Amino acid sequence: MAARSAGAAVKRLARLYPRRWRDRYGAEIDAFLERRKVTPGAVLDLLRGIIDAHLHPALASELVFVPEIGFRPSGTRTLLETARTHHDDATVTIRSVAAGPDQTELVIEWESHAEANIVCAPAAPALPAAPKGFLVASATPGGADEVVFAKLHVPKGEAMDAISFGPRAFMTRHGWSTHTIAFPPLPQSADRAELHLGVDGKAWRVPVALMRTHVVATHISVESRRSGMIVRATAVGRSGDEVMVGLELQGEDPRTLIGAIGTEPPPLIPPMVKPPRNWEPTADGIVLTDDRRNRARERRRLRHADAPPAALSGPQLPRRLTCVFGPVRHDATSASVSIPWIEISEVHGSVDVDLTAAPVIAELSGRRFEIVRTEQSAFGPERRKVVLRSLDADAARRFVRPLSVRSKVPTAGGYSYSWGKERDGSSWMETAVGDPPVVTFNGAALEVRGPWELRIPLD
Amino acid sequence: MRLSDEGQLILTSLVSGPKHGYAIAQDVESFSGRRLGPGTLYGAIARLEASGHIEALPGDARRRPYRITGRGRTVLGAAVAKSQRMATVARRRLAVR
């Protein structure tokens, strides 16, 4: 009894840490105190820590936000201005850079102006290939795979090979795509570098100038648990009329595979393309409401490229993303972030459907759904948009749609995970369709309803 | 930034793999005999995070794991090399006497 009251007293003492310290480390310090015996030495140590924290309050909060990349450690350098080069029928643009203590990340945009596109298709993964390049699939059906070489040159230093090469978005018929390329960390003194890209015997060089990132952000620690899911807000930053919030999501069962999270804002598309009608945001997205009940929509979403799990059936890393909301009043001091639903994925099960039979009811792993109709896809003449309606009555984890679809004709294309929601609540998927127009639906996307509400400080 | 003694101990612990705060303290005590209290531990963790020598990984807010970054490994390596040079000089001089 005495030990329990001493522990409770020491935990109350920990409330003397500054608010930002408590937001960032409070839960960890509490958990630590619960496991340690309370001694006079431990109490003195905690008091010293509290005084130190009050003398150095910024230590618990320093982060920065890099546009198009996300939250990074304080001291991360970023692009001074957009850098671009154009020749050999292609324009390469560096849109963002995060030069941090662990790696240097570049977001590049690739526009091909030639008739034969040399755009990298993100549906096929980028694999390391000898020597020090990345193997990517051609965007042209039947085209040969290509190797992309990427190096980062530092003045008076060695050229660095890329660590990873990841696709972000693409539009094949417009010859456009964006990618993230990661390199080892730059020397701390380097304020310039030059990216060298090589594909198909051609090369592009783009010089970049760096500066210290000026968008300061803060670590926070706010959690909401509901319906077997855990959602945390881990960072917040402000720039102009926008608020950026870092989120982590995981299932209480660590094997839970997380898919979509609320209806997303419009995806990245090239500036010359008008968004199709079905990309307009619906009301079912992640929303930020300030302390005067003004609502701000999610404008952009950044995904974190964490290492993939060892197996889809084992424990999964929490999903991380950064949401950018706006407009938000500059004098708002707190806000609430609301996540309406989270999709979880089951990868097993499949069913074949002849699209000419639509409307038709299909069953996948005991779950029934209706293929309502098919129509021409906005993504190309060889592709079809398939509109589906779930017939599943399970309220807790509602079957929304299959996870992926592909044509039974192998040359028509690979698995397609593209999907969206129609205004009447039905879902659509789209895929290349061969002859005969038979497709295979795989896996299941299940919707877990929230909302998960997170109260965050904005000052 | 000069690495403190506590910072060096924490980085050494994380070289063997990501750990949360209590696991770091237990590991440090096992290999160095030094017992880190929560005030000292989290003060050092905050400094190491701010300077980019460690990074918090996603996870439970009460048991958040940390990992050493590339920069952290470089700084720890330099600190260890300096300590080794000092130890070599001290050993040589003690042997002469």
Side-chain angles (χ1 to χ4, degrees), chain A residues 51-93:
Chain A
I51 293 169
D52 178 54
H54 279 279
L55 292 174
H56 304 97
L59 278 177
S61 60
E62 284 190 355
L63 274 179
V64 293
F65 180 79
V66 180
E68 303 205 40
I69 293 179
F71 294 104
R72 290 295 181 269
S74 166
T76 296
R77 286 158 292 159
T78 189
L79 207 54
L80 183 63
E81 56 192 1
T82 301
R84 180 176 285 130
T85 192
H86 172 84
H87 64 84
D88 277 330
D89 291 323
T91 302
V92 178
T93 304

Side-chain angles (χ1 to χ4, degrees), chain A residues 263-286:
Chain A
T263 301
E264 289 195 35
L268 292 171
I269 53 174
M272 73 287 279
V273 175
K274 189 179 168 189
R277 271 189 304 118
N278 56 19
W279 279 356
E280 285 172 7
T282 69
D284 218 10
I286 303 177

Side-chain angles (χ1 to χ4, degrees), chain A residues 17 21 24-25 27-29 31-36 45 52 56 59 74 101-102 188 219 221 232 248 318 320, chain B residues 22 25 35-42 46-47 49-50 52 56 58-64 66-67 69-71:
Chain A
Y17 271 100
W21 273 77
R24 175 68 186 88
Y25 298 112
E28 294 175 65
I29 291 174
F32 189 106
L33 291 171
E34 286 163 14
R35 299 179 73 166
R36 269 278 175 96
D45 177 82
D52 178 54
H56 304 97
L59 278 177
S74 166
D102 211 23
Q188 277 190 276
H219 282 294
S221 184
R232 301 183 192 95
E248 277 177 17
R320 294 198 285 176
Chain B
Y22 190 76
R35 193 169 164 90
L36 296 176
T40 304
L41 176 70
Y42 282 94
R47 283 170 170 81
E49 257 201 302
D60 187 341
R62 286 168 53 88
R63 294 162 63 92
R64 187 171 289 277
Y66 295 89
R67 70 167 193 91
T69 65
R71 183 175 292 166

Side-chain angles (χ1 to χ4, degrees), chain A residues 319-340:
Chain A
R319 274 283 300 280
R320 294 198 285 176
L321 58 138
T322 301
C323 303
V324 181
F325 300 96
V328 180
R329 287 174 21 253
H330 70 277
D331 58 347
T333 58
S334 69
S336 177
V337 174
S338 179
I339 296 102

Side-chain angles (χ1 to χ4, degrees), chain A residues 9-17 22 29-30 33 46 50:
Chain A
V10 170
K11 281 174 81 171
R12 276 199 296 276
L13 190 61
R15 303 284 182 269
L16 295 176
Y17 271 100
R22 291 200 309 276
I29 291 174
D30 276 353
L33 291 171
L46 194 65
I50 290 167

Side-chain angles (χ1 to χ4, degrees), chain A residues 25 35 90 106 144 149 363 447:
Chain A
Y25 298 112
R35 299 179 73 166
L106 280 72
F149 297 96
E363 187 168 310
E447 185 180 273

Side-chain angles (χ1 to χ4, degrees), chain A residues 157-175:
Chain A
E158 287 187 17
M160 300 191 290
D161 289 308
I163 303 168
S164 66
F165 186 100
R168 287 158 57 91
F170 78 109
M171 273 208 145
T172 310
R173 60 198 176 110
H174 293 284

